[in-house]
Amino acid sequence: MKRNLPLFFAFFCGLLVIVSEFIPHRPFSMMIDTLQEWFMIISGFAIILGQISLFQSNINKIKQKDSGWMFYLAGLLSFILMLLVGLFWGTQETGGLFGHGVSLQANLGMKPFDYLFEFAYMPLSSTMFSLLAFFIASAAYRAFIIRSFESNLLMLTAVIVILGRTSFGSMLTGWLPESVRFWHLPNLSDFIMEYPNSAAQRAIMISAALGIIGSSLRIILGIERSYLGSDK
Amino acid sequence: MKGLLLIFALLVFSVGSPANTTALKVQDTPWDDGKALDITWTTSADSIILQKADSLGVWQTIFSGPAIPAKYSDRDLVPNKQYTYLLVASVGADSDTIRVTASAKPTEQWFYLHKLSFLIILLVVSMAILFYIQLARMGKDFYIRRISGLDSMEEAVGRATEKGKPILFVPGIGDLDDIQTIASLTILSQLAQRSAEYDTELIVPCRFSMVLSAAREVVKEAYLKVGKPDTYKEERIFYLTDDQFGYVAGIDGMMVREQPAANFFLGSFYAESLILAETGFSTGAIQTSGTAQASQLPFFVVSCDYTLIGEELFAASAYLSRDPQQLGSLKGHDFGKLLTIVLILIGVLTEIIGWHWFKAFFEGVQ
């Protein structure tokens, strides 16, 4: 029963979602939205589980003085701080337990939660994202090292695309006559992106879609059960 | 005779009058969910104003502009409710204002006709998958090509065991409603069994609580399956944060501090893919990645030792479990690929010949 009930739900809900994709009439047209709402409700409850896990794992590491335990402490304190300021004075239009914190707003220019979000969380998040620029450079360097015919081809294509997207590339081949305009770097770059690149991406997307159909069918029919924890 | 002349004169006048050249037609949009009406008009005016009566009967302008193209689609309506529209057009030399009204009721249909091609493809591919599963049940042995990314799992676990370091498994940043996350969890099940067999520690940081509870269940069952429930450590499968870059920062920190010997990035990934893979590369870990996000694959290919591309991620569970039924379904995927190739070729040929109906059918044009 413990295993059969989830399998039945997976079968029933999976079939319902497929059917509602093709039938616009009620009640089928409302099924996907309703199931998504249910998912949101269950997710809402599951958040508590996540917070418990967060506290447990962090407290254990702090207690055991694991390497970098102070980071876990900083993480926990930040969590508690944001939780408290949000509870006390609310966020944006919504008030908290102590109202809107007018005097605090006068000093900070906004609510404490919004202030921390704007001036602590956002810069940290942007910093993390900006690391991408450096990682792209190091990854590109490795990818373009000439080792084989394929890596030669990759480097050549990359150089054309990079130059084609810059004003320098445009200037380099700007003198080409109209009859050989195709070889103008921006045009060549557009061609690579529009045709060979799109074709390869679509091939991946089509094969992934077929994989999704197969995977979903295995789950709906109960052949694939390991996501439930066991294949028995 | 006079009467006849009068009728003829009236007829000529009415045909030539601006009022008769202005007409409004409102029709239910066919094969939809009953939330749209198609409004068309004919008028000699250059511009028109289209209004809709609200619940109080007051006209509200919904379109104002050039009369051509003479159509408008009113959407987000309530099914089976009567809607009345007013067309205001200024025609003729003295700019006479013509007002025409029309009403219609949007109704729900029982089939999205523009999705017929999807349904046919879905049915054909599904039947092929079921057919091959049935063949596998009857004992037919299928050849499945080697997927090096999955074959490397043993190597990765072995290396982690030798070095006495943990294995890091990242199930992507998608929630449990993402099929890539489900596919990732099925691989986690196989990986957890191997790590349990070798007594190698497995770390699974999760971005969503739902994924956390599913991952814990999957790993726990895997440890039970190999008869080592006592070595299962629930605290090593934990929630980090819902925030995308916070999650990445947390995992990066873990990779740098704990130096896992093997990293698995399997599931749905976006902008964080390269940050994760490059940090993992810098720690010298053996890395396996897999995603169906075509835009993130180049990053993984560059930074990871093995990459599961697109459908390989979904085939992983069947490939690893070696369950004949699941392997049979992989043959169904291959049939789907063959079908797609054939359809593309037919599409190209019919377009060259000038038969556009084939492409239109698959584009869902009604």
Side-chain angles (χ1 to χ4, degrees):
Chain A
M1 190 65 181
K2 190 192 164 195
R3 196 61 64 201
N4 288 340
L5 204 61
L7 283 177
F8 170 75
F9 278 129
F11 175 76
F12 182 71
C13 294
L15 214 60
L16 211 60
V17 170
I18 292 173
V19 167
S20 59
E21 194 60 36
F22 295 100
I23 300 178
H25 207 285
R26 278 175 292 181
F28 297 100
S29 58
M30 297 149 58
M31 288 293 178
I32 294 177
D33 290 339
T34 309
L35 286 173
Q36 275 172 351
E37 277 169 21
W38 288 4
F39 180 81
M40 293 300 288
I41 293 166
I42 297 168
S43 293
F45 283 106
I47 284 175
I48 300 163
L49 197 72
Q51 308 309 343
I52 293 168
S53 160
L54 183 83
F55 265 89
Q56 278 177 343
S57 60
N58 282 293
I59 288 169
N60 282 344
K61 277 165 188 160
I62 296 162
K63 268 186 192 168
Q64 291 161 8
K65 291 270 168 74
D66 273 6
S67 64
W69 64 271
M70 65 288 281
F71 298 118
Y72 298 105
L73 183 67
L76 262 189
L77 290 175
S78 308
F79 175 83
I80 293 165
L81 181 69
M82 287 298 271
L83 182 76
L84 289 179
V85 293
L87 270 175
F88 291 161
W89 299 287
T91 63
Q92 291 177 335
E93 311 300 315
T94 322
L97 293 172
F98 300 155
H100 287 273
V102 182
S103 56
L104 278 167
Q105 277 195 63
N107 283 327
L108 298 171
M110 56 183 84
K111 287 190 174 178
F113 184 93
D114 299 332
Y115 183 85
L116 287 170
F117 187 86
E118 192 73 28
F119 298 109
Y121 166 80
M122 287 299 283
L124 287 171
S125 198
S126 305
T127 306
M128 225 30 233
F129 185 52
S130 61
L131 283 177
L132 202 57
F134 302 101
F135 285 136
I136 282 178
S138 65
Y141 171 74
R142 271 205 314 284
F144 300 155
I145 292 172
I146 302 169
R147 284 169 301 208
S148 59
F149 172 72
E150 286 86 359
S151 57
N152 264 325
L153 209 63
L154 183 70
M155 196 201 66
L156 187 70
T157 317
V159 168
I160 293 170
V161 173
I162 291 168
L163 284 176
R165 304 273 152 153
T166 60
S167 52
F168 179 65
S170 184
M171 191 194 77
L172 271 180
T173 51
W175 54 271
L176 281 172
E178 202 58 42
S179 56
V180 284
R181 229 31 207 168
F182 174 76
W183 299 104
H184 183 41
L185 278 171
N187 293 347
L188 207 55
S189 164
D190 286 346
F191 173 80
I192 291 168
M193 292 306 287
E194 205 168 328
Y195 296 101
N197 182 56
S198 296
Q201 290 225 11
R202 280 178 198 170
I204 292 169
M205 282 193 279
I206 290 170
S207 71
L210 288 167
I212 289 171
I213 293 176
S215 206
S216 307
L217 211 62
R218 286 199 299 269
I219 291 168
I220 289 171
L221 296 175
I223 297 167
E224 167 68 73
R225 301 170 184 195
S226 45
Y227 71 100
L228 289 171
S230 169
D231 52 4
K232 287 269 162 52
Chain B
M1 188 61 186
K2 271 184 183 173
L4 270 173
L5 278 172
L6 187 66
I7 291 168
F8 180 72
L10 274 173
L11 205 65
V12 168
F13 178 74
S14 65
V15 167
S17 74
N20 267 4
T21 59
T22 301
L24 179 67
K25 197 173 175 186
V26 185
Q27 279 182 311
D28 175 35
T29 305
W31 308 106
D32 76 338
D33 53 356
K35 290 180 181 170
L37 286 171
D38 291 333
I39 304 159
T40 53
W41 57 83
T42 49
T43 180
S44 55
D46 292 331
S47 62
I48 58 113
I49 295 170
L50 187 66
Q51 295 180 322
K52 180 166 76 173
D54 65 13
S55 55
L56 300 170
V58 179
W59 295 112
Q60 303 291 342
T61 302
I62 55 170
F63 174 76
S64 174
I68 295 169
K71 60 181 180 183
Y72 180 85
S73 186
D74 196 12
R75 303 196 173 273
D76 297 323
L77 305 175
V78 178
N80 302 319
K81 187 184 167 189
Q82 189 81 12
Y83 288 91
T84 308
Y85 296 86
L86 170 70
L87 181 83
V88 183
S90 298
V91 291
D94 359 313
S95 292
D96 292 336
T97 303
I98 308 295
R99 292 168 175 268
V100 194
T101 59
S103 299
K105 197 190 279 184
T107 50
E108 294 164 292
Q109 311 296 319
W110 283 98
F111 189 66
Y112 282 118
L113 194 65
H114 66 279
K115 289 185 179 176
L116 181 62
S117 54
F118 303 157
L119 182 65
I120 292 170
I121 292 175
L122 181 70
L123 287 176
V124 170
V125 173
S126 301
M127 280 163 71
I129 291 170
L130 293 176
F131 172 73
Y132 283 108
I133 288 173
Q134 193 58 35
L135 275 187
R137 276 182 182 161
M138 286 157 66
K140 173 116 175 104
D141 195 24
F142 291 114
Y143 166 75
I144 303 292
R145 72 175 170 88
R146 289 192 65 198
I147 302 174
S148 52
L150 296 171
D151 291 336
S152 72
M153 194 182 273
E154 290 285 347
E155 179 194 342
V157 177
R159 189 167 157 180
T161 313
E162 275 173 22
K163 292 175 91 174
K165 289 191 170 176
I167 298 166
L168 176 73
F169 185 95
V170 182
I173 62 162
D175 206 346
L176 211 54
D177 58 344
D178 189 333
I179 188 79
Q180 292 185 70
T181 311
I182 305 263
S184 168
L185 291 178
T186 59
I187 302 170
L188 174 63
S189 171
Q190 305 288 339
L191 181 69
Q193 281 179 40
R194 281 163 179 75
S195 72
E197 282 165 8
Y198 290 104
D199 279 332
T200 308
E201 197 176 5
L202 180 65
I203 307 171
V204 188
C206 300
R207 189 188 169 201
F208 292 106
S209 310
M210 294 276 275
V211 180
L212 168 76
S213 52
R216 277 184 174 170
E217 195 66 22
V218 162
V219 176
K220 192 176 170 184
E221 288 285 347
Y223 274 71
L224 272 171
K225 199 175 176 183
V226 295
K228 291 187 175 176
D230 47 321
T231 53
Y232 166 67
K233 290 178 185 167
E234 192 179 75
E235 69 276 9
R236 297 306 268 163
I237 302 149
F238 53 91
Y239 167 85
L240 263 180
T241 168
D242 272 36
D243 179 67
Q244 184 185 14
F245 289 106
Y247 182 63
V248 179
I251 296 172
D252 277 2
M254 234 174 289
M255 282 195 273
V256 172
R257 283 191 300 273
E258 305 200 24
Q259 301 272 318
N263 296 334
F264 288 86
F265 307 116
L266 301 166
S268 183
F269 290 92
Y270 294 87
E272 71 293 337
S273 61
L274 191 64
I275 303 176
L276 288 172
E278 277 294 287
T279 310
F281 178 83
S282 70
T283 62
I286 184 167
Q287 302 200 102
T288 305
S289 59
T291 184
Q293 309 288 138
S295 54
Q296 302 306 321
L297 280 168
F299 299 134
F300 278 144
V301 170
V302 167
S303 304
C304 297
D305 300 281
Y306 303 97
T307 305
L308 303 176
I309 297 172
E311 63 151 358
E312 289 178 344
L313 176 71
F314 303 105
S317 171
Y319 184 88
L320 292 168
S321 68
R322 291 280 154 192
D323 173 18
Q325 286 191 62
Q326 293 204 42
L327 287 176
S329 75
L330 295 188
K331 277 285 156 198
H333 294 186
D334 291 344
F335 173 82
K337 277 186 245 174
L338 183 69
L339 180 73
T340 311
I341 292 167
V342 170
L343 287 176
I344 289 172
L345 287 176
I346 295 173
V348 170
L349 282 175
T350 51
E351 281 299 301
I352 291 169
I353 294 166
W355 296 346
H356 303 297
W357 59 267
F358 189 81
K359 186 175 160 236
F361 176 69
F362 284 97
E363 278 180 336
V365 177
Q366 288 174 27

